[in-house]
Amino acid sequence: MCGIIGYTGKKNAEEVLLKGLSRLEYRGYDSAGVAVLKAGELHVRKKQGKLSVLAEDLKRAPLAGNTGIGHTRWATHGVPNDINAHPHVDHKRHIAVVHNGIIENYQQLKEKLQKAGYAFSSDTDSEVIAHLISEQYKGDLRAAVRTALKQVKGSFAIAVVHRGEPGRVIGARKDSPLIVGLGEEENFIASDIPAVLEYTRKVIYLENGEIVDLSGDTCVICGPKGKKIRKRPVEIKWDISQAEKKGYRHFMLKEIFEQPEVLRNIFKERIKGGRVEFEELAIRDTQIRKIKRIAIVACGTAYHAGLTGKYMIEKYAKVPVWVDNSSEFRYREPLVGRDTLVIVISQSGETADTLAALREAKDRGARVLAICNVLGSSIARESDGVIYTHAGPEIAVASTKAYTAQLAILYLFTYYLASVRKVAMTDGRSFLRRLKRLPSLAERMLAQYHSRKNILARYAAEFHEYYLARNNKSCFLYLGRNINYPNALEGALKLKEISYISAEGYPAGEMKHGPIALIDENPWVVCIAVQADTYEKMLSNIQEIKARGGIVIAVVSAGDKTLRDSKMNYLIEVPRAPEAFSPVLVAIPLQLLAYHVAAEFGYDIDQPRNLAKSVTVE
Ligand code: F6R
C-alpha cells in the first residue's frame, strides 16, 4: 500500500526515483509524484494515474537535482487525484513528505494545525505530517521529524526533504516497512528492496521507532530515544533480473511458469539425505514436541495455503489445527498460549493484520513460526522462527508462485513435525519421494500451456463471448472437497481479483445448503474432481449441476474416463498425483484460467483495480 523512495547522491534524482517507483508500483498505482531539491529550491510534480503519466510529464519538463523523494499511491484517505497524490508540502513549501501508512489521529492533528493557521490543500491524512514537521522545524530536519512524529498515532514509513538542507533525506518508520540502501557516494531509502537493487545490494532494515538521516556519503540511524545506533547492512543475494518480465506478456504469467523451478529449489534446499531440514527454524525439537495445537493465521491466498496445511498436518502429523484470517484472529480473544504453535503465512511479510495477529499471539505466550517469502520483512523478523519460501520476488498483484511455494513448505513442515514428534505416517516412506516429483509433473503440465492458443485461452475466449451474449450476466462458482476445497476458494479469488467477475468458492458438500439455487444456464461451475477419496461425491455434485442446466468445467486427473465420457462442457486435465499433493497441480491451471479470462476482457492483469500487493494498512 503505497511505495516510497528517497535518494541522495550524484545522480539525477528524478531518474533514480522514477526507476525505483517503477519497481514499487505493485504497492499502489492510482497516482504518483516526486519532489526534487535543487539550488535551495524544492520542486514537486505529482499526477493522478499510473507512474507512466508522471513519467510523461517529467519527460516534457524534467526536474534537475541530486536529492529527492518519490511516491506511488494506493488511496486510503482522499480520492486519487493530483492534489491528494504525494509528496505533500507544508504551507511555506519548504518541506516535502511522502508517506506510506495511516495516521489514525489525523483529524485531531489537522484541527489543531488549522487553528494555528496552517492551511491544508489535500484530503489526505498524510499532509498533517508535513505541517507538523514545519511546526517543529528549527533548522535541523532530523530533530523536527523526531519531535513531530511523537504526536502521530498510526502507522507510517516516511521520507522527508527540506529545501534549506540540500543533499539530506530523513526517513522514519512505525509499522510500515522501510529499508536503507547504502551505495558509493549515494544512499537510498525505500519501501522495498527491488527499488534500490539496481544500485546497491547493501541494505539495512529499519525497525519501528528508528530514524535515518542520509546524505550522499553518510548514514546516521537513531533509535526511538534519539540515540545514534550502529546497524550492520545485509548483502542481498538475489538479482534484479528476477524482477523483470523476461519476455512474458505479464509478470503474472511469468510467475505462473516459474512454479516448477521454485518447487524444485525448495525441495533441493530442504530435503537432505531423506530428511527435512529447516536451518532458520529457531524452534527447538523439545518445544515442537510440547505443542498441543497449531493455529495458522494469514490473509487471502496465504490463508488458503493455510487451510490446505490444516488437512496435511492433521492427517499426517496428528496435531489439531485451526486456521484463521488474521483480521479475525487479532480482534477476538484467541485461545492460544505456551502450548500453541502459531504459524503465520505471508508472502510479503508486511501484511498489517498478519503482523498484528503475530504480536497478539506472542503477547499470549505462543511460539510463532513465520512462512514468509520476503527476507528480513517485519513478519520474518518478529517471529520466533521463520521458514523462507525463497520463491523470488513476486511482482504481479495476484499471488501465484508464492501460493504453491507455501504449499510446498507446508508439506515439508508436516513431514518434519511428524518426524520430530515420532508420529508414524501411513505413507511416510514414499512421502518425500512422491513430493519431489511435483516439479516435473508441473513442468510437463505447463508445457501444454505455452502457446497463446492453449486450451485454457480457448475456454476463456468462449466464456467472454458467453458473458457478452448474456448482457454481462454470467459468473463463476468453484467447488472442491477435502484437501482441494481451499483450491476452490483460491481459484475464485484469482478470477475475481483480475477479471472482476463475480466468483465464489465453496466446499462441494455444502452446495445443497444454498449455492445450488444459483445454478441455471448462467454460472460456469469449476468442479475440482481429481482422483481422491471423495471423487464419487464430486461426480454426484457434477450430475446435480448438469441436471439443472449448469455449465461445468471439470478439473480431472489425466486419463479420467468417467468424466471425459460424460459430456462435460469443458475439461482440464492435471497429472495424476497422490491426493495429498494434488492441490499444487490443481492450483496452476486455475491460475492460468483466471489469467486468460482477464486477458480476454483486456484488463490490467498485473495491476488490477483497487488492489495492492502488500497490504500494510488495516
Ligand atoms: C491474492 C493476494 C492476496 C494476498 C494477501 C496476503 O492473490 O495476493 O490475497 O495473498 O493480501 O498477502 P501476504 O501473503 O503478503 O501476507
Side-chain angles (χ1 to χ4, degrees):
M1 313 254 116
C2 302
I4 69 168
I5 182 163
Y7 173 76
T8 168
K10 294 191 167 153
K11 295 194 172 80
N12 179 318
E14 177 196 294
E15 250 176 69
V16 178
L17 298 174
L18 278 180
K19 246 193 210 159
L21 288 178
S22 73
R23 308 233 185 260
L24 294 175
E25 220 187 353
Y26 71 87
R27 303 176 68 87
Y29 33 80
D30 60 40
S31 52
V34 292
V36 173
L37 295 180
K38 170 124 199 265
E41 284 185 34
L42 174 66
H43 299 279
V44 177
R45 191 76 56 78
K46 43 194 203 170
K47 287 278 163 212
Q48 179 186 347
K50 297 232 162 141
L51 187 61
S52 53
V53 181
L54 175 72
E56 269 308 308
D57 190 75
L58 287 169
K59 213 190 236 165
R60 274 194 298 272
L63 296 178
N66 310 109
T67 302
I69 55 177
H71 189 269
T72 177
R73 181 169 187 244
W74 184 88
T76 57
H77 295 66
V79 296
N81 60 23
D82 289 0
I83 292 173
N84 290 334
H86 297 218
H88 290 290
V89 293
D90 68 317
H91 63 308
K92 295 187 205 150
R93 295 187 70 83
H94 287 181
I95 292 167
V97 176
V98 288
H99 167 228
N100 168 33
I102 291 184
I103 307 303
E104 285 164 6
N105 58 339
Y106 87 99
Q107 270 304 357
Q108 294 102 291
L109 292 172
K110 188 170 178 174
E111 279 161 26
K112 183 196 93 168
L113 286 159
Q114 279 171 327
K115 272 190 204 138
Y118 291 84
F120 279 71
S121 48
S122 79
D123 302 321
T124 67
D125 54 335
S126 311
E127 192 183 342
V128 294
I129 305 174
H131 296 301
L132 282 176
I133 297 173
S134 168
E135 188 186 45
Q136 299 302 328
Y137 189 77
K138 296 181 185 78
D140 177 359
L141 189 55
R142 190 202 320 159
V145 169
R146 208 173 106 67
T147 333
L149 289 179
K150 283 187 187 155
Q151 303 175 56
V152 169
K153 288 198 184 124
S155 59
F156 55 79
I158 58 168
V160 193
V161 288
H162 188 288
R163 73 172 209 181
E165 304 197 33
R168 195 178 197 191
V169 177
I170 307 291
R173 70 157 287 197
K174 181 180 162 270
D175 294 339
S176 293
L178 195 62
I179 58 112
V180 179
L182 301 176
E184 295 293 325
E185 297 185 48
E186 59 183 3
N187 288 311
F188 309 78
I189 46 179
S191 301
D192 198 359
I193 295 162
V196 304
L197 209 51
E198 188 171 332
Y199 310 100
T200 179
R201 288 174 175 280
K202 274 204 253 164
V203 162
I204 295 174
Y205 294 99
L206 287 186
E207 301 291 341
N208 274 346
E210 290 177 353
I211 293 187
V212 61
D213 185 346
L214 295 178
S215 72
D217 39 27
T218 58
C219 166
V220 177
I221 299 176
C222 298
K225 294 201 172 124
K227 260 182 95 177
K228 285 187 191 167
I229 47 174
R230 278 183 162 275
K231 295 191 84 165
R232 231 197 251 174
V234 292
E235 184 84 16
I236 301 300
K237 297 265 171 6
W238 45 274
D239 213 87
I240 194 65
S241 71
Q242 286 181 275
E244 307 284 353
K245 283 194 201 144
K246 292 188 184 158
Y248 284 93
R249 280 173 75 203
H250 298 96
F251 279 111
M252 183 179 177
L253 196 59
K254 178 195 145 220
E255 287 158 10
I256 290 173
F257 277 90
E258 279 174 350
Q259 290 175 105
E261 200 49 33
V262 169
L263 296 169
R264 193 166 282 131
N265 288 340
I266 290 176
F267 298 144
K268 200 167 124 201
E269 193 184 335
R270 308 291 186 181
I271 304 176
K272 304 252 168 73
R275 286 160 43 95
V276 172
E277 287 180 12
F278 294 121
E279 281 158 20
E280 349 70 304
L281 191 61
I283 300 180
R284 288 196 302 276
D285 286 0
T286 45
Q287 288 165 328
I288 291 207
R289 282 189 205 106
K290 285 188 193 146
I291 293 164
K292 293 250 168 21
R293 66 186 81 83
I294 293 177
I296 302 183
V297 185
C299 297
T301 291
Y303 168 76
H304 299 153
L307 287 174
T308 313
K310 171 184 167 70
Y311 284 93
M312 288 301 296
I313 295 171
E314 290 190 339
K315 179 176 162 84
Y316 288 104
K318 308 290 179 208
V319 186
V321 181
W322 91 79
V323 191
D324 248 326
N325 285 121
S326 314
S327 51
E328 291 299 318
F329 180 92
R330 66 180 287 195
Y331 287 118
R332 57 188 181 79
E333 298 195 2
L335 294 176
V336 300
R338 296 182 68 77
D339 55 1
T340 319
L341 176 69
V342 174
I343 303 180
V344 291
I345 309 179
S346 174
Q347 187 285 126
S348 63
E350 299 296 346
T351 301
D353 281 324
T354 307
L355 190 56
L358 175 169
R359 290 175 182 157
E360 176 71 30
K362 280 180 92 174
D363 284 350
R364 288 169 181 266
R367 297 230 133 233
V368 179
L369 168 67
I371 296 178
C372 204
N373 194 36
V374 177
L375 248 64
S377 53
S378 305
I379 287 175
R381 280 178 291 137
E382 290 196 27
S383 298
D384 297 303
V386 58
I387 304 177
Y388 284 113
T389 46
H390 292 312
E394 194 180 61
I395 308 289
V397 165
S399 185
T400 54
K401 63 174 178 173
Y403 176 60
T404 46
Q406 287 157 358
L407 294 181
I409 294 291
L410 285 163
Y411 290 139
L412 293 174
F413 185 69
T414 300
Y415 186 88
Y416 178 84
L417 203 58
S419 318
V420 172
R421 292 167 69 93
K422 304 205 185 326
V423 178
M425 287 169 61
T426 29
D427 25 14
R429 280 171 166 248
S430 57
F431 190 95
L432 293 181
R433 194 165 28 84
R434 290 173 170 204
L435 190 59
K436 282 203 283 187
R437 284 193 203 134
L438 280 180
S440 330
L441 292 176
E443 202 157 51
R444 247 180 285 150
M445 171 173 59
L446 276 166
Q448 57 183 309
Y449 298 126
H450 259 300
S451 118
R452 276 212 198 176
K453 290 199 177 132
N454 70 73
I455 190 181
L456 295 176
R458 177 162 73 73
Y459 294 176
E462 288 184 24
F463 173 74
H464 184 227
E465 235 173 75
Y466 193 84
Y467 186 84
L468 296 181
R470 281 187 155 59
N471 294 326
N472 308 347
K473 255 188 93 184
S474 191
C475 60
F476 266 81
L477 185 62
Y478 286 72
L479 300 176
R481 280 176 182 262
N482 208 317
I483 199 159
N484 268 303
Y485 154 58
N487 258 338
L489 300 177
E490 177 58 10
L493 178 65
K494 283 292 87 85
L495 187 81
K496 62 188 147 200
E497 273 185 299
I498 57 172
S499 72
Y500 320 135
I501 308 261
S502 196
E504 248 194 282
Y506 242 84
E510 284 289 295
M511 197 177 76
K512 292 193 196 69
H513 302 283
I516 199 164
L518 292 172
I519 308 291
D520 55 13
E521 73 283 7
N522 272 325
W524 285 35
V525 190
V526 177
C527 297
I528 305 171
V530 289
Q531 281 310 311
D533 291 345
T534 51
Y535 175 72
E536 271 76 27
K537 310 268 176 229
M538 273 312 299
L539 291 187
S540 309
N541 288 131
I542 290 175
Q543 293 315 328
E544 287 154 9
I545 297 162
K546 294 290 291 173
R548 286 160 181 81
I551 294 176
V552 173
I553 302 182
V555 183
V556 301
S557 300
D560 181 314
K561 269 188 71 57
T562 317
L563 283 169
R564 182 169 281 284
D565 293 345
S566 64
K567 298 206 184 83
M568 286 303 95
N569 303 87
Y570 299 96
L571 270 189
I572 299 175
E573 276 194 347
V574 300
R576 278 181 176 264
E579 178 180 3
F581 302 144
S582 63
V584 169
L585 299 170
V586 169
I588 294 173
L590 296 187
Q591 296 165 347
L592 276 168
L593 181 66
Y595 171 85
H596 286 296
V597 171
E600 258 324 304
F601 279 75
Y603 292 133
D604 187 342
I605 292 177
D606 285 336
Q607 296 179 337
R609 73 182 180 210
N610 303 341
L611 292 175
K613 184 74 187 158
S614 181
V615 186
T616 55
V617 293
E618 263 193 73

